[in-house]
Structure formats: structure tokens, C-alpha cells
Amino acid sequence: MLIAEDDQKQAELARRYLEREGHEVVVVADGRAALEQIRQRPPALLVLDVMMPKVDGLDVCRILRRESDLPVLMLTARSTEDDLLLGLDLGADDYMTKPYSPRELVARARSLLRRGQRTPTDPVLRVGAVHVDPVRHEVRSDGRLVDCTPGEFQLLQAMAAQPARAFTRDQLLGYLHGFDRYITNRTVDVHVMNLRRKIEPNPRKPARLVTVYGVGYKLVEESPRVG
């Protein structure tokens, strides 16, 4: 794993937490060194700060995406939506805004590494009768091909990757950056309502994409009907 961060204290803190998780970690302090390290010894994941000398993180990401599909977790002190969207548009897989929790950094890194380890022979995410294929960008419900918007697909893929996990609306909003131009908590509710029409046997009584009251939503395997 490679950390590209010019703040020595931040880099050391991130390195310690990631090494506790069992990762071998290399730290560099500027974008040019990051690109050289990646070309010489490609890491499993790049933790990339935006504000760095020589070559900044946005340019590193732009250059890297011409050469590699290496997972990138971007760190930024810029908190405006435009800045975050720019990073994602350039190819970052995830982002965190400073100051961040080192434990959350470890969890996000773990999630990105799991995505990279998914076997290409069977990339389909299956939750009961709902199948999500990230490679073909297809959704099937009860074997029937379902037409989804990009935002709907992102939400369904996120939930299918972690079946039965309760996602808050704010967490689901994070998956919509770069796919929906204007996003609010209501955007998530609209997508869920539309997805239920497409994947539920009875959208008025959801049994697959269900509400977790006081939290948000989760995707579950439909319980078999009795009688």
C-alpha cells in the first residue's frame, strides 16, 4: 500500500493504523515520487492527498488513470462538493475529508481492497432473486433484466456488496457523487422508491429493499412465503 502525503504527522498516523491491519506501507511526500513508486512497484491501494508539492493529487490521479486501474482513496482538506466531484471524476474510487478518523481510513481501505479482489470469473453480486453485475452494468430481478439509471445502479450495487447492512441516507448519498447533479437526502428516497418498482414483487410491501426505521435502508434476501 502506498501513502502519498506531505504532512509527516498525518502520514505517520495513517501508516501506523494501516500497518496494524497487516498492510505493508510505503510513504512518499510528493506526487512525482508517488508516480515513480507506482511505476516501479505497483501497490494494492493508493492513499492520495490532494495538496502536495511537485505534482498535486488531482494530477497524480489524472495521470494514473491513463496507466492503471489501481484503487485510489483520496484525502482532501477541500470540503466543497465541486472539489469532491472533481476528484471522483478524475478517477478516485473514494474520498475522505480532513480531519478524518484513522479507523475510518482503515475501514475504507479494507473496502476498496475487497472490491479489487473480487474474482473476474464471477463478479455478480447476488442477494436472493436480485443479481447485480458490475462488469456488465446489469441488474436482474427474478431473472428479468431491469433498466436502472446510473444513480440507481450505484445504490443497488453498494447495498448488494454488503447484504443486510443498514445504510444511512448520508452513506448512500456518498455513492451518488458524480452520478446525480443535484443530490439531497430526498434523492436517496426517490431512487429507493424507483428501485422498489423494479425489483420488488409488490412495491407497496417491500421485502427486498427494506426500510430500517430511524436509520435508512438495506437490501436483504426475501424471506420465503409460508402457505
Side-chain angles (χ1 to χ4, degrees):
M1 188 176 298
L2 178 63
I3 298 174
E5 166 67 81
D6 66 324
D7 185 317
Q8 187 175 353
K9 289 183 179 179
Q10 293 254 7
E12 179 61 20
L13 182 63
R15 182 188 64 77
R16 278 206 316 268
Y17 271 81
L18 289 166
E19 286 184 341
R20 284 180 198 168
E21 186 78 359
H23 301 295
E24 180 182 344
V25 180
V26 175
V27 177
V28 296
D30 65 76
R32 186 177 300 166
L35 289 168
E36 290 173 357
Q37 177 68 27
I38 291 165
R39 289 162 179 161
Q40 292 171 8
R41 188 181 176 192
L45 173 70
L46 172 61
V47 179
L48 177 65
D49 183 34
V50 171
M51 301 297 290
M52 287 192 299
K54 298 185 180 178
V55 181
D56 71 20
L58 295 175
D59 283 334
V60 169
C61 199
R62 185 183 291 110
I63 294 167
L64 186 60
R65 279 298 168 253
R66 299 176 194 151
E67 306 174 3
S68 169
D69 59 357
L70 171 70
V72 176
L73 172 55
M74 189 167 280
L75 307 177
T76 176
R78 301 170 176 175
S79 58
T80 69
E81 184 175 292
D82 286 345
D83 289 325
L84 298 176
L85 290 178
L86 177 58
L88 292 170
D89 286 342
L90 289 174
D93 297 278
D94 198 359
Y95 67 84
M96 295 183 67
T97 303
K98 295 179 177 181
Y100 58 84
S101 158
R103 293 175 63 187
E104 184 180 358
L105 173 69
V106 170
R108 299 241 193 153
R110 188 188 305 127
S111 176
L112 287 175
L113 288 170
R114 275 201 305 264
R115 290 187 215 172
Q117 290 168 354
R118 198 178 310 284
T119 57
T121 54
D122 186 16
V124 180
L125 304 169
R126 296 178 173 86
V127 185
V130 178
H131 297 177
V132 181
D133 188 335
V135 175
R136 293 187 174 87
H137 209 274
E138 289 181 352
V139 173
R140 291 184 181 272
S141 178
D142 299 300
R144 173 179 52 85
L145 191 63
V146 174
D147 184 26
C148 291
T149 67
E152 290 167 2
F153 186 88
Q154 285 300 115
L155 290 192
L156 199 59
Q157 179 182 346
M159 288 188 282
Q162 299 183 68
R165 172 188 166 180
F167 288 85
T168 66
R169 287 175 175 81
D170 284 342
Q171 287 169 335
L172 291 173
L173 279 176
Y175 292 96
L176 295 176
H177 285 295
F179 291 89
D180 286 0
R181 187 174 179 184
Y182 303 105
I183 55 175
T184 65
N185 282 341
R186 179 60 182 159
T187 306
V188 171
D189 295 335
V190 171
H191 281 320
V192 167
M193 179 179 66
N194 289 334
L195 281 168
R196 283 172 170 168
R197 291 172 180 164
K198 298 174 180 182
I199 68 170
E200 293 281 3
N202 182 354
R204 294 187 177 184
K205 297 181 178 180
R208 297 172 180 173
L209 181 44
V210 299
T211 300
V212 182
Y213 291 101
V215 180
Y217 301 102
K218 64 181 177 179
L219 186 68
V220 299
E221 187 171 346
E222 183 180 9
S223 301
R225 295 174 183 171
V226 179

